Amino acid sequence: MPLYVLDDRAELFCTSHCIFRFSLIFRFFSFSPIAEGSIREVAQGVLRRIQRDCAQRGPRSLHALALALRKKATTEHEGKRGREILGASDLHQCLKMGGFRVTDEENRALVVFFDPDLEGVRGPPPGFSTSLSKAGPHAPVPLLSKSKLDECTISVRPFMRALEPRLPERRRRAAAVTFEQLVKRFITVQSGYDPDDPESEPRSASIPLLSLLSHSSGFNPRAHPLVEGGLLKGNDVKEEFVDSLEFLCQTRFPEAAETDKGMQMTLPLFYCYYAFESVHVDRDDMFMSILRGCWGVDLKEVL
């Protein structure tokens, strides 16, 4: 083969290789916008992914993330209440340390979603506050350099609230009906509901957790569908139930634990517990079966 052919091929290879390497370097150092999806779509997609991971790991993982965020946060005083704020870089670091996969682009979307005016701690970055306010949440994720991104902050409390699992509407109605029937069943030991008062609302009442666990018509883990099917043990279901409720009372619902009658089951606490449980249940009919089995309630009005 003639030598000049080899030279031409070698030159072509070197040229192509240099172009390829340059394109990789350019991609690495450029701040490209997210091509598909709006700020809201990208941010909510990340939130759903983190929410699903937290729900599958249990409420303790959500609490661990909240502690990590608050450790990094600084308090900004607004009137009588303080607001815990966190920088974009610290947010990304905490999420990575918690084992949550969030790219640089996704972190930018989260920051813009929770701080739409990009005001940050030291005032709005030049050229961004007014344009984004007018563009709204459906605007493309903006090109932010690291210095501008560091100016942005989010409030810890709204961010953590966004990560809490939510019960789908039908399952939420089923949980509410279940709680209402339990309140009426334990009328002799519960507080906050008067059956003779037409204005008394059973869903605003509370039930002592001890009554739910010790009474024969209370929580019955042996009737859980997966226990009846031999996939779980009744004692394990009961231990998980008590452990999760105690943890949620300590971290999320302290008012339910700080009573002279012991720990109280309230509707918000009931919702929260079953929101975490709901993540592991694919079908609505199975979720209804869990409520009917464990609590012995009638859910015909929900079906």
Side-chain angles (χ1 to χ4, degrees):
M1 184 178 293
L3 185 60
Y4 72 89
V5 175
L6 291 176
D7 290 342
D8 288 345
R9 290 180 179 179
E11 182 179 355
L12 179 62
F13 172 79
C14 291
T15 303
S16 301
H17 186 62
C18 290
I19 293 174
F20 175 73
R21 292 188 64 183
F22 177 79
S23 65
L24 289 179
I25 294 173
F26 178 79
R27 289 180 184 178
F28 182 80
F29 285 102
S30 64
F31 290 92
S32 59
I34 297 177
E36 298 181 1
S38 65
I39 294 170
R40 176 174 292 167
E41 291 169 347
V42 176
Q44 289 185 342
V46 180
L47 290 172
R48 282 193 295 268
R49 191 172 70 229
I50 299 174
Q51 185 184 70
R52 184 173 59 250
D53 291 345
C54 284
Q56 290 176 345
R57 300 177 194 179
R60 292 183 184 274
S61 66
L62 198 64
H63 182 62
L65 177 60
L67 289 178
L69 293 176
R70 290 189 173 113
K71 188 175 181 180
K72 288 278 189 181
T74 57
T75 302
E76 183 182 71
H77 293 284
E78 292 183 345
K80 296 181 179 180
R81 299 185 60 183
R83 184 171 72 104
E84 294 175 310
I85 56 175
L86 189 75
S89 299
D90 288 334
L91 170 65
H92 204 183
Q93 183 181 358
C94 289
L95 291 174
K96 286 183 176 179
M97 291 177 62
F100 302 104
R101 297 174 292 102
V102 178
T103 66
D104 292 339
E105 291 84 1
E106 291 172 335
N107 189 60
R108 287 208 308 274
L110 285 175
V111 171
V112 177
F113 183 69
F114 282 94
D115 186 7
D117 292 327
L118 301 184
E119 293 181 353
V121 183
R122 298 181 291 275
F128 281 94
S129 60
T130 55
S131 60
L132 274 178
S133 296
K134 295 177 181 178
H138 295 290
V141 178
L143 302 173
L144 294 179
S145 65
K146 187 177 184 302
S147 61
K148 288 181 178 178
L149 193 63
D150 286 340
E151 296 280 346
C152 307
T153 61
I154 67 168
S155 180
V156 173
R157 184 178 294 273
F159 180 75
M160 291 307 303
R161 287 291 176 87
L163 293 180
E164 290 183 0
R166 302 288 191 274
L167 274 172
E169 184 57 33
R170 189 163 180 243
R171 298 186 184 192
R172 187 178 178 88
R173 289 202 313 270
V177 170
T178 300
F179 184 81
E180 184 173 345
Q181 292 183 29
L182 290 174
V183 168
K184 294 178 179 179
R185 184 184 303 171
F186 287 89
I187 187 62
T188 57
V189 293
Q190 63 83 44
S191 61
Y193 172 65
D194 182 2
D196 298 325
D197 183 0
E199 296 184 358
S200 184
E201 175 55 57
R203 296 186 184 185
S204 63
S206 61
I207 312 170
L209 182 60
L210 183 60
S211 298
L212 293 176
L213 295 174
S214 60
H215 202 278
S216 59
S217 60
F219 184 65
N220 182 13
R222 294 187 300 276
H224 191 292
L226 296 183
V227 175
E228 291 182 333
L231 299 176
L232 293 175
K233 295 181 178 180
N235 288 337
D236 293 339
V237 172
K238 183 177 181 178
E239 288 179 7
E240 187 275 334
F241 175 72
V242 175
D243 181 66
S244 295
L245 287 179
E246 289 180 345
F247 184 78
L248 288 172
C249 282
Q250 294 170 5
T251 59
R252 182 71 176 79
F253 301 93
E255 67 281 359
E258 298 171 355
T259 67
D260 55 358
K261 299 179 182 179
M263 191 181 304
Q264 300 288 308
M265 176 68 82
T266 62
L267 183 57
L269 176 58
F270 200 72
Y271 279 152
C272 189
Y273 171 77
Y274 277 106
F276 278 98
E277 291 298 300
S278 177
V279 175
H280 306 282
V281 184
D282 295 331
R283 304 193 321 270
D284 283 351
D285 59 337
M286 174 57 76
F287 185 80
M288 306 297 174
S289 297
I290 292 173
L291 291 176
R292 281 197 301 265
C294 291
W295 298 109
V297 294
D298 182 6
L299 298 177
K300 289 181 181 178
E301 63 180 277
V302 183
L303 298 177

